[in-house]
Amino acid sequence: MRIWTERPAKTDVEAVVRHYFSLLRAGRIPEAEQLIDHYPVRHVLKSLWTGSVEASADEDEASGSPAADKWEQDLSWLCELDLADFHWDPTGSHLYVEITYRAQMVEVALGLRVKPTDAGWVVSGPATYW
């Protein structure tokens, strides 16, 4: 887990979030979980699936997307997600990042926070926002 001795700059936090997301996209889930103070990854993946692939399949039944009950076995859909804009609260403690699927904005975003711990400052999350 990335730990800073002082409150990190926004650019440093965003770099960690980008690295985290690149690990998710590559299907390297255990490594992604170790990068931040992580909430249950199953919830995050299910929300990303629901807000992207499942929503797209509802709009286009012929999309060829994997069946909804197989999202955990075949994580190839993750490579079609990408990060969009980062949005910070005025205190610099909370941020959310918009997500795209096949270059289209989806309804789910990832929320994270920068928090102090006994060891130093860490990135915690992600929560999913609808």
Side-chain angles (χ1 to χ4, degrees):
M1 178 177 341
R2 173 62 200 221
I3 300 172
W4 292 271
T5 57
E6 296 180 5
R7 183 185 202 98
K10 290 179 182 178
T11 54
D12 293 333
V13 172
E14 289 178 9
V16 167
V17 173
R18 289 181 199 287
H19 184 63
Y20 164 80
F21 200 75
S22 71
L23 291 170
L24 276 186
R25 288 187 67 208
R28 296 165 55 188
I29 308 304
E31 289 175 67
E33 288 179 301
Q34 295 301 313
L35 192 59
I36 62 176
D37 180 23
H38 208 285
Y39 295 163
V41 74
R42 187 175 194 283
H43 169 75
V44 173
L45 294 177
K46 178 63 175 166
S47 294
L48 289 172
W49 167 270
T50 302
S52 61
V53 180
E54 194 171 81
S56 178
D58 288 345
E59 294 173 9
D60 179 13
E61 289 300 319
S63 68
S65 297
D69 60 344
K70 295 185 179 178
W71 67 270
E72 287 182 285
Q73 287 79 33
D74 179 7
L75 296 177
S76 63
W77 58 273
L78 285 168
C79 69
E80 297 190 66
L81 298 176
D82 210 347
L83 297 178
D85 294 328
F86 285 77
H87 301 274
W88 286 86
D89 77 333
T91 68
S93 296
H94 295 82
L95 74 141
Y96 74 91
V97 61
E98 295 172 318
I99 306 294
T100 63
Y101 174 67
R102 296 181 178 169
Q104 298 295 315
M105 196 68 65
V106 299
E107 292 183 11
V108 66
L110 299 180
L112 300 109
R113 68 185 182 116
V114 179
K115 70 176 190 178
T117 66
D118 291 340
W121 292 84
V122 299
V123 177
S124 179
T128 51
Y129 298 145
W130 293 87

